[in-house]
Amino acid sequence: MMRQYELVEKVTGYKKDADEAILNKAYVYAMQKHGSQMRANGDPYFSHPLEVAAILTDLRLDEETIAAALLHDTIEDTDATRKEIDAIFGEKIGFLVEGLTKLKRLDLVSKKAEQAENLRRLLLAISDDVRVLLVKLADRLHNMRTLGHMPPDKRKRIAAETMEIYAPLAGRIGMHGMREELEELAFRHVNPEAYDMVTTKLAGLGEINRDLVSTITAELAHKLEKEGIKATVRSRQKRAFSVFRKMENKQLSLEQLSDLYGFRIIVDTVEDCYRTLGVVHTTWQMVPARFKDFISTPKQNDYRSIHTTVIGPSRQRIELQIRTWQMHEVAEYGIAAHTLYKDGKAGGDAGGTAFASLRRTIAQLAEGVNPEEFLEHTKLELFLDQVFCFTPKGRIIALPRGATPIDFAYAVHTDVGNTCVGCKINGRIMPVITELKNGDEVEIIRSKAQTPPAAWESVVVTGKARASIRRATRDAIRKQYAGLGSRILERAFARAGKTFDAEMLAGALPRLARETVDDALADVGRGELASVDVIRAVFPDYKDERVNHRAPTREEGWFGLKAGAGMLFRIPGSRRSRKPANGDGKAIPIRGASGDLPVRFSPNGGAVPGDRIVGILTPGEGITIYPIQSPELTQFDDMPERWLDVRWDIEEGSSERFPARIKVVAINEPGTLAAIAEVMANNDANIQNLAMQRTAPDFMDMVFDIEVWDLNHLNRILRQLTAKPVVSRAERIVGRDEAA
Ligand code: MN
């Protein structure tokens, strides 16, 4: 355990003017408050906040942060209060400790939907003072280091949370050392089999390659010295988790990975970085596609370095990073490093950018505007299959991806769903079938007279909405049949010289073998109960002179209505499956397209099976099928009468192909087209058309019209294209291409 004077000396070692009294008071106060409390491993509890403080001294943080670290568990776990801490240590430290106390409670909740809300609160707390996050991460790091003493189920949950939330957050603020250690510690518990496999294999390879690594290190050091460059050369084997992630992403075995070793050359000045690069490139052959200059173009989180890959002495690929010491500090410690440089001692040039970018993210998230960007950068996969939307009062509604305002309405309350007639998204009136995005504020417009159209059933994605619509539809249909039954009975009773009143049926229910009057009426309306049987049940001595009063069959129906659930509501096609023909006589397998109108796909990037689709009636032309996400649909927003509810009517494993359009942005170099064509060929994507355009000196845009079997096929092609090093972007186009 670190002693009091050691801690103080360490802080004054890197921060001469640090307030020693604050540190001494915090040390004594926390030790006394935690008193004889023990940790799970039997250590005195105080060892934990002390270790957390020690981790933060390695990051060279100021005395307020270190004091807050020492005190971080006192409000939660002892009789200490915010008021007392304010009085002794000042409001700033009190604020930090209280922030950490609030965050501690978040750890206890792990339900997915609640985590999103907690993530927001966490980020709000950080946005007030980023030092809260630094202490929180150090706290989590120490807990992860001592996780072995926890019961197994708790261990797994904490590890998963670390992997999903805290490690990405550390990465987001540029603390890569912290991120890697958190991931590595969590990996062992989240996926023990994979961890054992990768570490065992890495150890074996390390044995084999030890000579190689020292040869390269020595050669580099020697050459740089000859050029008069003062440099430190370090080699390292990649961490188990980052190796595992690469294997997963690239679907490669560990032996196939080319870059298990990284070399880092740290020099004094930017000029030396480029001189070093020259030495490296004249010594070994470079791999052009792998060269990246993050010194001239720093990453968003302030990361700066030169990355290059060369073919090493025994023909293997070697990854090198070249950077200055200051860049190294920033790369390892991220935001924490800026506290060291902020007083201008060491330049402090890009100082605020990482912090500014974090603040921006937090502000966006706090406003509920665009969590997507955040999720994208942090890879919080946990949330990727969900969208989080808000009621006008700010309540969060978590929905599966692809959900519509109708799903939203049903998630709020069944009554809200059943009476939904329209919606506003972020204040604008939008179609109720719009796909919701993260952060959307949704206001449902309701009408008491509404019953949900049966067609909605095929639009919604949540089970609750689907079940409620089905139930409401069934009830509404029943009501219609009951009304019809009433009219039938009125006429039948009149013919028999009687006056009909629905109340009369109540006494006859046992004879009719029906439970309620409505049941009986609806069954008459459906044709399942003959009117003459009802008359006989009500007037047992009624003698019918005419014969042949059989009930009509389903096929005959009543009054020209065809029986069948949902039929009364369907717009406007029949439920029969049909294969309408398109222009060139090929059948398009769409269900719900009405009459004999020709059916065609939207010419600007059509729909493929797996897409949700809508049909648009085009007078004089027929029906055009659009994927529901097509931007072209907005032009029909004001014409609900033209929208048709259609569905795919295609068998699994059908060999039919459908046109799709994709756009590929690729590096403009020889072999690019060949690499792309190879993906297309391997996946049996019929290329129908290709248009190329050079948009920037180094890039070209290509638009391919291809034919695919379905959405899975299309997505597979896009994934494989994206994985090609020459491809910077590959995406599907539906609707007119904005670039065209
Ligand atoms: Mn703690």
Side-chain angles (χ1 to χ4, degrees):
M1 220 159 85
M2 204 178 212
R3 288 159 196 273
Q4 188 173 342
Y5 75 89
E6 289 171 322
L7 182 76
V8 175
E9 273 179 8
K10 197 157 176 211
V11 177
T12 50
Y14 59 76
K15 190 168 185 286
K16 298 271 172 292
D17 60 346
D19 184 346
E20 292 182 34
I22 285 278
L23 290 169
N24 285 317
K25 274 194 287 184
Y27 190 104
V28 174
Y29 183 84
M31 188 164 63
Q32 281 172 352
K33 284 289 174 187
H34 287 296
S36 57
Q37 289 174 352
M38 295 287 189
R39 300 202 82 212
N41 63 1
D43 285 350
Y45 193 92
F46 178 62
S47 67
H48 165 65
L50 187 55
E51 284 299 333
V52 174
I55 289 168
L56 294 167
T57 59
D58 287 339
L59 299 173
R60 294 184 249 190
L61 287 163
D62 60 28
E63 64 273 29
E64 281 178 348
T65 315
I66 305 296
L70 289 168
L71 302 170
H72 83 269
D73 279 334
T74 53
I75 293 184
E76 179 78 13
D77 296 341
T78 77
D79 61 6
T81 60
R82 164 84 197 260
K83 222 172 148 188
E84 195 175 86
I85 290 175
D86 276 2
I88 304 174
F89 301 97
E91 263 182 45
K92 265 193 184 152
I93 290 175
F95 172 84
L96 290 174
V97 176
E98 192 178 42
L100 287 155
T101 308
K102 283 184 196 153
L103 291 185
K104 194 172 176 189
R105 299 202 180 104
L106 300 185
D107 292 346
L108 305 173
V109 187
S110 64
K111 263 165 68 187
K112 267 194 187 185
E114 283 162 23
Q115 260 185 0
E117 170 62 7
N118 289 335
L119 184 64
R120 268 165 65 86
R121 276 196 272 155
L122 167 75
L123 293 167
L124 275 171
I126 301 164
S127 72
D128 288 332
D129 191 329
V130 75
R131 292 178 299 179
V132 171
L133 178 60
L134 299 178
V135 181
K136 180 69 203 171
L137 287 172
D139 179 32
R140 180 48 69 114
L141 181 59
H142 185 243
N143 286 335
M144 286 302 295
R145 283 178 184 168
T146 53
L147 197 59
H149 300 283
M150 287 285 180
D153 58 320
K154 226 174 169 183
R155 233 183 277 169
K156 204 155 191 150
R157 184 176 64 68
I158 294 172
E161 194 179 62
T162 302
M163 192 69 106
E164 286 157 359
I165 294 178
Y166 291 101
L169 270 176
R172 177 73 187 189
I173 57 172
M175 302 174 73
H176 296 289
M178 173 86 79
R179 195 202 71 211
E180 284 193 352
E181 189 176 348
L182 286 171
E183 280 172 349
E184 198 69 6
L185 290 165
F187 182 35
R188 176 193 293 251
H189 299 286
V190 169
N191 193 344
E193 296 83 15
Y195 176 83
D196 287 344
M197 183 271 286
V198 175
T199 40
T200 311
K201 282 195 178 180
L202 280 180
L205 280 174
E207 214 43 52
I208 296 168
N209 289 316
R210 190 184 300 148
D211 286 349
L212 175 73
V213 171
S214 53
T215 308
I216 295 171
T217 312
E219 190 167 350
L220 270 173
H222 175 70
K223 295 228 162 162
L224 292 171
E225 202 190 324
K226 232 171 60 184
E227 292 296 319
I229 302 169
K230 201 173 134 232
T232 303
V233 181
R234 290 176 181 173
S235 70
R236 60 171 209 150
Q237 194 175 54
K238 292 270 166 74
R239 298 254 197 169
F241 180 70
S242 79
V243 169
F244 178 69
R245 183 159 48 192
K246 257 195 187 150
M247 287 166 61
E248 280 212 317
N249 288 349
K250 300 193 171 168
Q251 293 289 311
L252 292 174
S253 74
L254 190 139
E255 289 74 13
Q256 286 170 293
L257 287 180
S258 58
D259 41 11
L260 293 175
Y261 296 95
F263 290 84
R264 199 168 273 161
I265 306 168
I266 309 171
V267 295
D268 289 334
T269 64
V270 172
E271 196 200 333
D272 281 351
C273 289
Y274 289 102
R275 285 176 64 204
T276 303
L277 181 68
V279 172
V280 169
H281 281 184
T282 47
T283 307
W284 294 299
Q285 189 196 336
M286 75 177 283
V287 182
R290 301 286 299 268
F291 174 75
K292 288 196 183 92
D293 182 354
F294 294 118
I295 291 182
S296 61
T297 323
K299 284 195 193 180
Q300 206 192 3
N301 61 11
D302 258 8
Y303 177 87
R304 301 202 298 159
S305 276
I306 293 172
H307 290 192
T308 189
T309 301
V310 296
I311 310 289
S314 41
R315 307 300 304 158
Q316 77 287 52
R317 282 177 171 212
I318 304 166
E319 224 180 51
L320 291 131
Q321 297 173 346
I322 304 166
R323 51 171 72 150
T324 65
W325 283 104
Q326 188 193 338
M327 293 172 196
H328 182 64
E329 295 272 357
V330 173
E332 289 294 300
Y333 304 134
I335 284 184
H338 296 310
T339 62
L340 171 67
Y341 287 106
K342 73 180 168 203
D343 46 16
K345 259 184 271 169
D349 49 351
T353 354
F355 187 63
S357 117
L358 178 74
R359 280 198 86 98
R360 212 168 32 243
T361 311
I362 289 165
Q364 282 172 350
L365 212 68
E367 289 157 15
V369 177
N370 186 11
E372 207 132 84
E373 193 246 9
F374 174 79
L375 296 177
E376 195 185 300
H377 283 93
T378 55
K379 296 275 185 298
L380 290 173
E381 307 276 347
L382 177 65
F383 304 114
L384 288 185
D385 58 347
Q386 303 229 332
V387 287
F388 298 98
C389 301
F390 298 88
T391 67
K393 285 185 180 156
R395 186 178 148 205
I396 287 198
I397 304 288
L399 294 163
R401 202 153 275 273
T404 65
I406 307 169
D407 293 292
F408 180 93
Y410 278 106
V412 173
H413 195 280
T414 309
D415 286 345
V416 177
N418 283 339
T419 54
C420 164
V421 288
C423 70
K424 282 184 185 174
I425 301 176
N426 304 321
R428 283 184 53 213
I429 298 220
M430 298 290 280
V432 289
I433 56 166
T434 311
E435 184 172 327
L436 291 173
K437 293 195 296 294
N438 262 317
D440 278 347
E441 185 190 295
V442 184
E443 185 186 340
I444 299 298
I445 303 164
R446 302 171 62 182
S447 160
K448 287 249 180 306
Q450 164 78 348
T451 23
W456 280 3
E457 206 191 305
S458 65
V459 175
V460 298
V461 299
T462 51
K464 185 181 180 195
R466 192 166 294 138
S468 306
I469 292 167
R470 206 172 290 164
R471 197 176 316 115
T473 308
R474 213 168 39 224
D475 290 350
I477 289 173
R478 224 176 87 92
K479 229 167 125 191
Q480 293 221 356
Y481 277 124
L484 190 56
S486 252
R487 291 213 315 277
I488 292 166
L489 288 176
E490 265 167 44
R491 294 159 66 128
F493 273 60
R495 269 204 313 273
K498 314 273 186 193
T499 310
F500 173 70
D501 179 348
E503 290 309 305
M504 299 158 96
L505 299 187
L509 285 175
R511 280 189 295 278
L512 290 167
R514 299 296 193 276
E515 293 206 345
T516 66
V517 172
D518 270 356
D519 283 346
L521 290 175
D523 281 351
V524 172
R526 258 188 221 107
E528 286 169 3
L529 178 61
S531 56
V532 67
D533 292 338
V534 179
I535 299 173
R536 280 201 200 104
V538 177
F539 305 102
D541 43 3
Y542 171 70
K543 296 274 180 294
D544 183 20
E545 273 93 58
R546 286 164 298 182
V547 271
N548 194 15
H549 281 283
R550 71 177 173 86
T553 62
R554 268 181 179 276
E555 285 69 34
E556 288 164 348
W558 285 94
F559 300 109
L561 279 171
K562 287 214 173 56
M567 194 259 146
L568 295 177
F569 289 90
R570 281 195 86 75
I571 41 162
S574 86
R575 201 164 251 276
R576 262 178 306 134
S577 167
R578 63 172 72 239
K579 300 208 171 211
N582 68 0
D584 47 51
K586 201 167 125 193
I588 293 185
I590 299 290
R591 188 147 57 123
S594 77
D596 298 310
L597 293 171
V599 177
R600 64 185 183 110
F601 285 114
S602 149
N604 304 304
V608 301
D611 281 327
R612 285 205 281 132
I613 48 175
V614 288
I616 296 290
L617 270 168
T618 313
E621 278 190 54
I623 296 164
T624 310
I625 305 296
Y626 290 88
I628 206 155
Q629 72 271 31
S630 172
E632 297 187 335
L633 283 170
T634 52
Q635 59 184 305
F636 306 111
D637 276 353
D638 299 327
M639 296 173 261
E641 70 284 355
R642 289 178 58 184
W643 292 63
L644 299 184
D645 167 37
V646 293
R647 296 189 215 182
W648 291 101
D649 186 14
I650 189 163
E651 274 150 38
E652 275 241 77
S654 157
S655 61
E656 229 175 316
R657 287 170 174 273
F658 299 84
R661 180 171 288 178
I662 60 179
K663 178 171 161 180
V664 180
V665 180
I667 297 165
N668 188 15
E669 65 180 24
T672 292
L673 195 55
I676 292 166
E678 189 200 355
V679 172
M680 300 287 195
N682 288 346
N683 284 288
D684 193 17
N686 283 349
I687 301 179
Q688 298 294 306
N689 191 27
L690 164 63
M692 274 201 269
Q693 198 183 357
R694 207 164 124 186
T695 44
D698 299 316
F699 289 93
M700 53 186 171
D701 281 3
M702 284 167 275
V703 175
F704 289 89
D705 283 323
I706 59 174
E707 286 192 324
V708 297
W709 295 303
D710 56 27
L711 196 56
N712 283 338
H713 188 200
L714 178 59
N715 285 337
R716 189 168 70 233
I717 293 167
L718 288 173
R719 261 199 316 275
Q720 292 187 13
L721 284 172
T722 313
K724 289 276 169 199
V726 291
V727 171
S728 99
R729 209 147 53 86
E731 62 197 10
R732 179 178 179 193
I733 298 179
V734 290
R736 266 179 287 278
D737 181 13
E738 72 290 340

